Amino acid sequence: GTDGQMPPCKGDGPPCSEAHNHFGQQLWLLGLGAEELFVRDAQRALDILTDLPFVNASSIGVVGCSGGGTMTAYLGAVDDRVTAAVVACYFSTLGRELEEGTCNYDAEQIIWGMAKHGIDKPDLLRARAPKATAILLTSHDCFPIAGGREGFAEVETAFYAHGDAHNLYASEAAGFHEVTQTGLTAVQQFFEEQLGPHPSWLAPISDPTPLPCKMLWFGQEQLKAGFDGPAVQIPQLLRKLARPKRQALRWKRRGEAVGRGRRWLEALPKVSARTAKVQSYAIEKVSLGGEEPMMVAART
């Protein structure tokens, strides 16, 4: 922009993160992540793809942009069947994104407890070393290009540790959160080099423009998931998954009434003091009255 600030991601319609978070943050409450489910879906798709008689199971290429880049990074890290992977408009470092990013994070991209467990985006690509891997960076993506360059250097070290970094590629182009013509050309060249010549029966992609948002919106009918039985709503599946965990939490809290959970509740002031980084005596217990639990407030 004219003020020197990075412009926001371009796009029409509601921000993608709203849709991602509607689904993903419900899973966070369970200690799960949307990407865990997406990766399982992708692996089942690979099961079907590699069984097709006209598919060479030893030459599988995966490419994706944004959420697809996220999927490609995770899938390529955990499934050895991915021969060549291209990650676009996703790759950076968590540190750079927290400091400079303009439109992250959302629950589609982040594994629950990712930073706590010491996992960063470059680790997903390091796990592939020395398999063929490429990243596409753009100058004004919401994922900072500086983080992409730093992450690439980290991944390159891992590839060299395996004896060869020739299978690691990167492409940069002027652009926003998109696959540019430069990036599209790089993808085609990368796959031809790694997987062989472009099949004569497959028409090359000439237009990298993403589908408009209105073609991706869905309502109640599209929220249904099909099983052997009648179709059910996805939120119903989430509630079914959450019900046992919610019941366990209820029993734990009810235990306080008969003394089973008293030590757990008595620990709350100490936890609050530690979290607020104050001494225990600075914690004031405020009763809400009746049989309600205690509210713990930190005094600094």
Coordinates of all heavy atoms in Angstrom, one line a residue, residues 187-223:
V187 N 4.9 -24.8 -11.1 CA 4.3 -26.1 -10.7 C 4.4 -27.1 -11.9 O 4.7 -28.2 -11.7 CB 2.8 -25.8 -10.3 CG1 2.1 -27.2 -10.2 CG2 2.7 -25.0 -9.1
Q188 N 4.1 -26.6 -13.1 CA 4.1 -27.5 -14.2 C 5.5 -28.0 -14.5 O 5.7 -29.2 -14.7 CB 3.5 -26.8 -15.4 CG 2.0 -26.5 -15.3 CD 1.5 -25.6 -16.4 OE1 2.3 -24.9 -17.1 NE2 0.2 -25.7 -16.7
Q189 N 6.5 -27.1 -14.4 CA 7.9 -27.6 -14.6 C 8.3 -28.5 -13.5 O 9.0 -29.5 -13.8 CB 8.8 -26.3 -14.7 CG 8.6 -25.4 -15.9 CD 9.4 -24.2 -15.8 OE1 10.0 -23.8 -14.8 NE2 9.5 -23.5 -17.0
F190 N 7.9 -28.2 -12.3 CA 8.3 -29.1 -11.2 C 7.8 -30.5 -11.4 O 8.5 -31.5 -11.2 CB 7.8 -28.5 -9.9 CG 8.0 -29.4 -8.7 CD1 9.2 -29.5 -8.1 CD2 6.9 -30.0 -8.1 CE1 9.4 -30.3 -7.0 CE2 7.0 -30.8 -7.0 CZ 8.3 -31.0 -6.4
F191 N 6.5 -30.6 -11.7 CA 5.9 -31.9 -11.8 C 6.4 -32.7 -13.0 O 6.6 -33.9 -13.0 CB 4.4 -31.8 -11.9 CG 3.7 -31.7 -10.6 CD1 2.6 -30.9 -10.5 CD2 4.2 -32.3 -9.5 CE1 1.9 -30.7 -9.2 CE2 3.5 -32.1 -8.2 CZ 2.4 -31.3 -8.1
E192 N 6.7 -32.0 -14.1 CA 7.3 -32.6 -15.3 C 8.7 -33.2 -15.0 O 9.0 -34.3 -15.4 CB 7.3 -31.7 -16.5 CG 6.0 -31.4 -17.1 CD 6.1 -30.5 -18.3 OE1 7.2 -30.1 -18.6 OE2 5.0 -30.1 -18.8
E193 N 9.4 -32.5 -14.2 CA 10.8 -32.9 -13.8 C 10.7 -34.1 -12.9 O 11.5 -35.0 -13.0 CB 11.5 -31.8 -13.2 CG 13.0 -32.2 -12.7 CD 13.7 -31.0 -12.2 OE1 13.5 -29.8 -12.7 OE2 14.6 -31.2 -11.3
Q194 N 9.8 -34.1 -11.9 CA 9.7 -35.1 -10.9 C 8.9 -36.3 -11.3 O 9.2 -37.4 -10.8 CB 9.2 -34.5 -9.6 CG 10.0 -33.4 -9.0 CD 11.4 -33.9 -8.6 OE1 11.6 -35.0 -8.2 NE2 12.4 -33.0 -8.7
L195 N 7.8 -36.1 -12.0 CA 6.9 -37.2 -12.3 C 6.9 -37.6 -13.8 O 6.2 -38.6 -14.1 CB 5.5 -36.7 -11.9 CG 5.3 -36.3 -10.5 CD1 3.8 -35.8 -10.3 CD2 5.7 -37.3 -9.5
G196 N 7.6 -36.9 -14.6 CA 7.6 -37.2 -16.1 C 6.9 -36.2 -16.9 O 6.2 -35.3 -16.4
P197 N 6.9 -36.4 -18.2 CA 6.2 -35.4 -19.1 C 4.7 -35.3 -18.9 O 4.1 -36.3 -18.4 CB 6.5 -36.0 -20.5 CG 7.7 -36.9 -20.3 CD 7.6 -37.4 -18.9
H198 N 4.2 -34.2 -19.2 CA 2.8 -34.0 -19.1 C 2.0 -34.9 -20.0 O 2.3 -35.0 -21.2 CB 2.5 -32.5 -19.5 CG 1.1 -32.1 -19.2 ND1 0.0 -32.4 -20.0 CD2 0.6 -31.4 -18.1 CE1 -1.1 -31.9 -19.5 NE2 -0.8 -31.3 -18.3
P199 N 1.0 -35.7 -19.5 CA 0.3 -36.6 -20.4 C -0.4 -35.9 -21.6 O -1.0 -34.8 -21.4 CB -0.7 -37.3 -19.5 CG -0.2 -37.0 -18.1 CD 0.6 -35.7 -18.2
S200 N -0.3 -36.5 -22.7 CA -0.9 -35.9 -23.9 C -2.4 -35.7 -23.8 O -3.0 -34.9 -24.4 CB -0.5 -36.6 -25.2 OG -1.0 -38.0 -25.0
W201 N -3.0 -36.7 -23.0 CA -4.5 -36.7 -22.9 C -5.0 -35.7 -21.9 O -6.2 -35.4 -21.8 CB -5.0 -38.1 -22.6 CG -4.4 -38.7 -21.4 CD1 -3.3 -39.5 -21.4 CD2 -4.7 -38.5 -20.0 NE1 -3.0 -39.8 -20.1 CE2 -3.8 -39.2 -19.2 CE3 -5.8 -37.8 -19.4 CZ2 -3.9 -39.3 -17.8 CZ3 -5.8 -37.8 -18.0 CH2 -4.9 -38.6 -17.2
L202 N -4.1 -35.1 -21.1 CA -4.6 -34.2 -20.1 C -4.3 -32.7 -20.5 O -3.1 -32.4 -20.7 CB -3.8 -34.5 -18.8 CG -4.2 -33.6 -17.5 CD1 -5.7 -33.8 -17.2 CD2 -3.3 -34.0 -16.4
A203 N -5.3 -31.9 -20.6 CA -5.2 -30.5 -21.0 C -4.5 -29.7 -19.9 O -4.8 -29.9 -18.8 CB -6.5 -29.9 -21.3
P204 N -3.5 -28.9 -20.3 CA -2.8 -28.1 -19.3 C -3.7 -27.1 -18.7 O -4.6 -26.6 -19.4 CB -1.6 -27.5 -20.1 CG -2.1 -27.5 -21.5 CD -2.9 -28.7 -21.7
I205 N -3.4 -26.7 -17.5 CA -4.2 -25.6 -16.8 C -3.7 -24.3 -17.3 O -2.5 -24.0 -17.2 CB -4.0 -25.7 -15.3 CG1 -4.5 -27.1 -14.8 CG2 -4.8 -24.6 -14.6 CD1 -4.2 -27.3 -13.3
S206 N -4.6 -23.5 -17.9 CA -4.3 -22.2 -18.5 C -4.7 -21.1 -17.6 O -4.3 -19.9 -17.8 CB -4.8 -22.1 -19.9 OG -6.2 -22.3 -19.9
D207 N -5.7 -21.3 -16.7 CA -6.2 -20.2 -15.9 C -6.1 -20.6 -14.5 O -6.8 -21.4 -13.9 CB -7.7 -20.0 -16.3 CG -8.3 -18.8 -15.5 OD1 -7.6 -18.1 -14.9 OD2 -9.5 -18.6 -15.6
P208 N -5.2 -19.9 -13.7 CA -5.0 -20.2 -12.3 C -6.0 -19.5 -11.4 O -5.9 -19.6 -10.2 CB -3.6 -19.7 -12.0 CG -3.5 -18.5 -13.0 CD -4.3 -18.9 -14.2
T209 N -7.0 -18.7 -12.0 CA -7.9 -17.9 -11.1 C -8.8 -18.9 -10.3 O -9.4 -19.8 -10.8 CB -8.8 -17.1 -12.0 OG1 -8.0 -16.3 -12.9 CG2 -9.7 -16.2 -11.2
P210 N -8.8 -18.6 -9.0 CA -9.6 -19.5 -8.1 C -11.1 -19.3 -8.4 O -11.6 -18.3 -9.0 CB -9.3 -18.9 -6.7 CG -8.1 -18.1 -6.8 CD -8.1 -17.6 -8.2
L211 N -11.9 -20.3 -8.0 CA -13.3 -20.3 -8.2 C -13.9 -19.1 -7.4 O -13.4 -18.9 -6.2 CB -14.0 -21.6 -7.8 CG -13.7 -22.8 -8.7 CD1 -14.3 -24.1 -8.0 CD2 -14.2 -22.6 -10.1
P212 N -14.9 -18.4 -7.8 CA -15.5 -17.4 -7.0 C -16.2 -17.9 -5.8 O -16.6 -19.1 -5.8 CB -16.6 -16.7 -7.9 CG -16.8 -17.8 -9.0 CD -15.6 -18.5 -9.1
C213 N -16.2 -17.1 -4.7 CA -16.7 -17.6 -3.4 C -18.1 -18.1 -3.5 O -18.5 -19.1 -2.9 CB -16.6 -16.5 -2.4 SG -15.0 -16.2 -1.7
K214 N -18.9 -17.5 -4.4 CA -20.3 -17.9 -4.5 C -20.5 -19.3 -4.9 O -21.5 -20.0 -4.7 CB -21.1 -17.0 -5.4 CG -20.7 -17.0 -6.8 CD -21.5 -15.9 -7.6 CE -21.0 -15.9 -9.1 NZ -21.8 -14.9 -9.9
M215 N -19.4 -19.9 -5.6 CA -19.5 -21.3 -6.1 C -19.1 -22.2 -5.0 O -19.2 -23.4 -5.1 CB -18.6 -21.5 -7.3 CG -19.1 -20.7 -8.5 SD -18.1 -21.1 -10.0 CE -18.4 -22.8 -10.2
L216 N -18.5 -21.7 -3.9 CA -18.0 -22.5 -2.8 C -18.9 -22.4 -1.5 O -18.7 -23.2 -0.6 CB -16.6 -22.1 -2.4 CG -15.6 -22.1 -3.5 CD1 -14.3 -21.6 -3.0 CD2 -15.4 -23.5 -4.1
W217 N -19.9 -21.5 -1.5 CA -20.8 -21.4 -0.4 C -21.7 -22.6 -0.3 O -22.0 -23.2 -1.3 CB -21.6 -20.1 -0.5 CG -20.8 -18.9 -0.3 CD1 -19.6 -18.7 0.2 CD2 -21.2 -17.6 -0.8 NE1 -19.1 -17.4 0.2 CE2 -20.1 -16.7 -0.4 CE3 -22.3 -17.0 -1.4 CZ2 -20.1 -15.3 -0.7 CZ3 -22.3 -15.7 -1.7 CH2 -21.2 -14.9 -1.4
F218 N -22.1 -23.0 0.9 CA -23.0 -24.1 1.0 C -23.9 -23.8 2.2 O -23.7 -23.0 3.1 CB -22.2 -25.4 1.3 CG -21.3 -25.4 2.4 CD1 -21.7 -25.7 3.7 CD2 -20.0 -25.0 2.2 CE1 -20.8 -25.6 4.7 CE2 -19.1 -25.0 3.2 CZ -19.5 -25.3 4.5
G219 N -25.1 -24.5 2.1 CA -26.1 -24.3 3.2 C -26.4 -25.6 3.9 O -25.6 -26.5 4.0
Q220 N -27.7 -25.7 4.3 CA -28.1 -26.8 5.1 C -28.0 -28.1 4.4 O -27.5 -29.1 4.9 CB -29.5 -26.6 5.6 CG -29.7 -25.5 6.7 CD -28.9 -25.9 8.0 OE1 -28.9 -27.0 8.4 NE2 -28.3 -24.9 8.6
E221 N -28.3 -28.1 3.1 CA -28.3 -29.4 2.3 C -26.9 -29.8 2.2 O -26.6 -31.0 2.2 CB -29.0 -29.2 1.0 CG -30.5 -29.0 1.0 CD -31.1 -30.3 1.7 OE1 -30.7 -31.4 1.3 OE2 -32.0 -30.1 2.5
Q222 N -25.9 -28.9 1.9 CA -24.5 -29.3 1.7 C -23.8 -29.6 3.0 O -22.7 -30.2 3.0 CB -23.8 -28.1 1.0 CG -24.2 -27.9 -0.4 CD -25.5 -27.3 -0.6 OE1 -25.9 -26.5 0.2 NE2 -26.2 -27.6 -1.7
L223 N -24.4 -29.3 4.2 CA -23.8 -29.7 5.5 C -24.0 -31.1 5.8 O -23.5 -31.6 6.8 CB -24.4 -28.8 6.6 CG -23.8 -27.4 6.8 CD1 -24.6 -26.6 7.8 CD2 -22.4 -27.6 7.3

